[in-house]
Amino acid sequence: MASENKAVVAVVMGSDSDLAVMQSCIDTLKDFGIAPVVRIISAHRIPDVAAEFAGNAAKHGFKVIIAAAGMAAHLAGAMAANTTLPVIGVPLISSSGLEGVDAFLSTVQMPPGVPVATVAIGKAGAKNAAILAVQILALSNEDLAKKLADFKKAQAQKVAEKDSALQ
Ligand code: RP5
């Protein structure tokens, strides 16, 4: 559990079929030195586990929950319903043929009072979820704040290099 390994970020997803896309979230967190706890927890198939996990997340030392799902993607909302921790929702593309718009609307359209910080659909959102989690943690962690500043600088440098290569 988180209290044993001191994980402060939980990455939960609705199915193992979500893992390939969510790997970029996990990898990005690791790039910043954050080893997340990764769980498969379905809001629909094991709703009691989802509620129990979110309800005990703060007690176990988590500070941010990243929740990813496809189709009628209620996992992030189910987390947010049961915790006061910030919840970042990642809508994923599934076999529904709706390009993740189904999951996006299911994730983002939370009722007033129960927010889910929803990022973009799919891989870009998976990566941004990790960066947003780091930004939240960096508010009280100078080392992470420095890593974020370095990340932004490196990102800007890459764009400048691409621009130079065109001149
Ligand atoms: C969602 O249903 C999961 O998050 C996944 O994106 C989708 C399909 O799940 P599987 O049938 O592949 O397990 O709950």
Side-chain angles (χ1 to χ4, degrees):
M1 291 304 295
S3 50
E4 289 160 16
N5 64 18
K6 307 257 192 294
V8 291
V9 178
V11 177
V12 299
M13 61 198 84
S15 171
D16 59 345
S17 62
D18 300 326
L19 184 57
V21 173
M22 288 308 291
Q23 195 60 49
S24 75
C25 175
I26 296 162
D27 291 344
T28 302
L29 287 167
K30 287 182 178 168
D31 288 346
F32 281 93
I34 297 168
V37 161
V38 181
R39 297 282 306 274
I40 295 167
I41 300 176
S42 168
H44 301 124
R45 292 167 175 157
I46 46 169
D48 49 338
V49 176
E52 191 272 338
F53 182 86
N56 290 316
K59 196 173 71 188
H60 286 144
F62 293 114
K63 294 188 171 163
V64 183
I65 298 174
I66 297 172
M71 305 188 88
H74 296 134
L75 183 58
M79 292 290 121
N82 287 288
T83 185
T84 55
L85 293 174
V87 176
I88 302 171
V90 187
L92 297 177
I93 298 170
S94 68
S95 59
S96 68
L98 295 170
E99 299 298 329
V101 174
D102 46 355
F104 171 70
L105 292 174
S106 304
T107 304
V108 77
Q109 287 288 55
M110 291 296 291
V114 193
V116 166
T118 305
V119 293
I121 297 167
K123 199 169 175 187
K127 179 165 182 162
N128 272 350
I131 295 167
L132 182 54
V134 174
Q135 289 176 323
I136 292 168
L137 296 171
L139 291 170
S140 56
N141 183 321
E142 280 181 23
D143 181 47
L144 278 182
K146 165 89 173 60
K147 284 180 181 169
L148 272 172
D150 291 346
F151 168 79
K152 291 272 188 188
K153 261 187 225 153
Q155 189 168 243
Q157 179 64 30
K158 275 186 206 155
V159 176
E161 282 166 12
K162 286 175 186 174
D163 181 52
S164 295
L166 282 181
Q167 309 312 313

